[in-house]
Amino acid sequence: MDDQIALLVGTRKGAFIHRADPAREKWKLEGPHYLGNIVNHLVADPRDRRTLLMAAKTGHLGPTVFRSSDGARTWTEARQPPAFPKAAAGEEGRSVESVFWLSPGHASEPGVWYAGTSPPGLFRSNDNGVTWQGVAGFNDGLYPQIKSAIVPGPDGAQVHSVCVDPTDARHLYLGISIGGVFESKDGAQTWLPLNKGVAADFLPDPNLEYGHDPHTLALHPRNPQRLYQQNHCGIYRLDRPGTQWKRIGLNMPKDVGDIGFPIVLHPRDPDCAWVFPMDGTEVWPRTSPDGRPAVFRTRDGGSSWQRLDKGMPQQHAWWTVKRQAMCADGGDPVGLYFGTTSGEIWASNDEGQTWSRIAEHLPHIYSVTVA
Amino acid sequence: MIRVLIPSPLFSYTGGQKQIEAEGDSLAGLLDVLDRRYPGMRHRIVDEQDRIRPHVRFFVNGDMAGSLDHTLSADDEVMIVAALSGG
């Protein structure tokens, strides 16, 4: 990709690239790529700024990964997509139903990527996504120990939010919906749960070690001691080496609540984060609360939150934003972007103060990332 | 040779060919041949446990084949069907 901002958009019906002019004011939509494919995640490699990986499947065909090494001009399929090993005769083997999440590896490991799948599996590529191998420490180590606590949600159970500590390539975090947050300090060989203080209202035992439902986990790139998560049961912050999450979502307005899918961090300020709340009451409509969409921002690590909805519809907008579908660029001021379940992309050039719609009439949006 | 009818979701692998000829003494063998000729195709229609994917069907001479063990003869016709998969 070139030096201009481009949004990589994954939808239920294919992928799109939305390119901005340098001022981030004029946008040009390009695509669709792989029309009709269910694109869960489309991610650029910040290390080489050329490689793009796309997690895709169709209604008929099984999951795979498509790759571009020329900024989306041409694509090829992974030679060996993420797949579990063939089970021994008489044993029940697992099969990947969808590749749900893609994360570039550490800056010191060019070509390394991680993929999270449904059912929960972790895969690693050492060659820019051409071939993928199962991560034994997760798939054969952690998973058998915790699988009784893993509950599929409406779209199955997924591994997501694979976060690599920028100061240590062997230090990883990930989330499982439903399963919890886990940490590895030895390059994904062993994993420990990291869920103290997190509510799990849907389970009878509030003090479980795992079995929680993190929707998105985020590690601050400048201060990797700080993590945030938007959970099925609230918004949380954790400052390492501590292990007790703090429910900062309790400081959200009570009529909005602190349920949602995404959480996005300011690229430089560890105290600043944005969320997009949804209605998690009664039967869980998963729409904007009261049909009035809004981003909420904290600038003090979650002690207070401000509603940011200038430019957004003020009534009867019953959409929401999926967990991969909200992101920030590295600009100053930071540009923010989200894609909706109704196929719109919204942008803010002033860190959320004002918003404008920069695309509409797209399919249901699953992911929006910045290249 | 076995005549293989290809559904449109797999045209990207066959270069748009709707009908091809291949060999194999079972569905599994036939798919191995097809995957060597069209790399990646097999994984899209059969999972890593050799289970036919939920929205894919194989018909041999008009009869549905339930597993990859189904034996084949040289003059068989195999139709790969991309079944209904929702909206």
Side-chain angles (χ1 to χ4, degrees):
Chain A
M1 311 300 282
D2 54 30
D3 290 335
Q4 297 180 356
I5 294 289
L7 300 180
L8 310 180
V9 185
T11 81
R12 183 174 159 76
K13 299 293 181 183
F16 300 83
I17 315 274
H18 208 22
R19 298 182 193 275
D21 66 358
R24 302 181 299 194
E25 290 177 353
K26 294 179 180 173
W27 294 82
K28 186 176 181 184
L29 192 68
E30 171 194 309
H33 301 267
Y34 290 100
L35 176 64
N37 277 252
I38 300 162
V39 179
N40 283 318
H41 218 183
L42 175 55
V43 179
D45 190 338
R47 297 162 297 187
D48 67 11
R49 295 185 56 79
R50 287 185 297 111
T51 302
L52 306 180
L53 296 192
M54 179 194 305
K57 64 182 290 187
T58 76
H60 303 101
L61 305 181
T64 193
V65 172
F66 294 114
R67 310 171 50 253
S68 176
S69 54
D70 56 12
R73 280 184 278 278
T74 60
W75 296 89
T76 56
E77 185 175 356
R79 194 165 71 231
Q80 184 181 314
F84 293 109
K86 178 84 160 63
E91 291 185 11
E92 183 76 9
R94 291 197 291 158
S95 60
V96 173
E97 294 172 11
S98 63
V99 181
F100 186 72
W101 188 276
L102 296 164
S103 284
H106 192 268
S108 68
E109 298 180 324
V112 170
W113 285 74
Y114 292 95
T117 65
S118 177
L122 182 64
F123 295 83
R124 175 178 163 128
S125 172
N126 295 320
D127 54 12
N128 274 317
V130 178
T131 61
W132 295 85
Q133 296 77 39
V135 175
F138 184 91
N139 296 344
D140 307 323
L142 177 67
Y143 179 79
Q145 297 174 38
I146 66 168
K147 68 178 181 181
S148 62
I150 291 177
V151 181
D155 298 320
Q158 306 113 349
V159 168
H160 61 82
S161 306
V162 182
C163 300
V164 182
D165 185 339
T167 64
D168 180 359
R170 295 172 61 78
H171 187 200
L172 307 169
Y173 300 91
L174 57 73
I176 309 172
S177 287
I178 296 169
V181 171
F182 294 85
E183 177 187 26
S184 173
K185 296 180 178 177
D186 56 10
Q189 295 181 61
T190 60
W191 295 84
L192 288 173
L194 192 61
N195 300 292
K196 286 181 188 171
V198 178
D201 300 341
F202 50 91
L203 294 172
D205 181 356
N207 297 312
L208 284 171
E209 275 198 288
Y210 49 82
H212 305 73
D213 188 7
H215 284 176
T216 307
L217 176 70
L219 177 67
H220 198 274
R222 293 277 180 93
N223 175 8
Q225 299 297 310
R226 172 159 292 187
L227 295 109
Y228 290 87
Q229 70 165 292
Q230 171 66 73
N231 189 284
H232 184 81
C233 300
I235 306 167
Y236 297 85
R237 192 189 85 209
L238 173 62
D239 292 310
R240 308 305 310 275
T243 57
Q244 183 84 15
W245 291 89
K246 179 180 181 184
R247 189 167 182 173
I248 56 176
L250 294 177
N251 301 316
M252 287 278 288
K254 294 293 178 275
D255 61 338
V256 174
D258 65 343
I259 308 304
F261 278 120
I263 186 163
V264 171
L265 309 189
H266 193 290
R268 294 174 292 276
D269 179 359
D271 286 332
C272 183
W274 297 269
V275 294
F276 192 96
M278 68 181 181
D279 189 339
T281 60
E282 297 186 13
V283 297
W284 282 75
R286 295 180 173 83
T287 58
S288 301
D290 200 29
R292 298 168 55 230
V295 166
F296 281 75
R297 177 185 61 201
T298 180
R299 287 196 181 281
D300 51 18
S303 296
S304 63
W305 296 88
Q306 299 82 46
R307 183 182 179 96
L308 305 172
D309 64 357
K310 190 174 180 184
M312 291 188 209
Q314 296 303 303
Q315 62 175 349
H316 287 305
W318 301 98
W319 32 262
T320 193
V321 176
K322 293 287 183 71
R323 74 188 85 200
Q324 289 106 316
M326 187 170 173
C327 62
D329 66 24
D332 187 9
V334 170
L336 288 172
Y337 313 94
F338 65 78
T340 72
T341 50
S342 60
E344 300 174 0
I345 303 175
W346 289 78
S348 170
N349 282 345
D350 51 15
E351 306 203 347
Q353 289 299 127
T354 59
W355 292 89
S356 60
R357 187 172 55 198
I358 59 170
E360 58 186 333
H361 309 314
L362 295 175
H364 182 133
I365 293 173
Y366 287 163
S367 83
V368 177
T369 63
V370 170
Chain B
M1 296 291 273
I2 297 164
R3 195 156 63 104
V4 185
L5 306 181
I6 304 294
S8 62
L10 295 175
F11 284 177
S12 63
Y13 292 91
T14 63
Q17 288 190 83
K18 299 177 181 176
Q19 182 178 312
I20 58 180
E21 291 191 337
E23 55 200 21
D25 54 11
S26 67
L27 270 181
L30 175 70
L31 288 175
D32 287 345
V33 170
L34 293 181
D35 201 59
R36 283 196 293 275
R37 194 185 300 176
Y38 308 113
M41 176 198 273
R42 185 185 191 281
H43 182 68
R44 307 303 302 280
I45 53 179
V46 175
D47 73 17
E48 56 265 58
Q49 307 305 331
D50 291 339
R51 293 182 290 241
I52 299 168
R53 293 204 183 270
H55 299 287
V56 172
R57 298 287 185 273
F58 291 91
F59 289 86
V60 179
N61 303 325
D63 295 325
M64 192 165 74
S67 83
L68 302 188
D69 296 332
H70 194 101
T71 57
L72 297 175
S73 303
D75 56 351
D76 282 344
E77 178 187 88
V78 175
M79 178 185 286
I80 306 174
V81 174
L84 300 176
S85 69

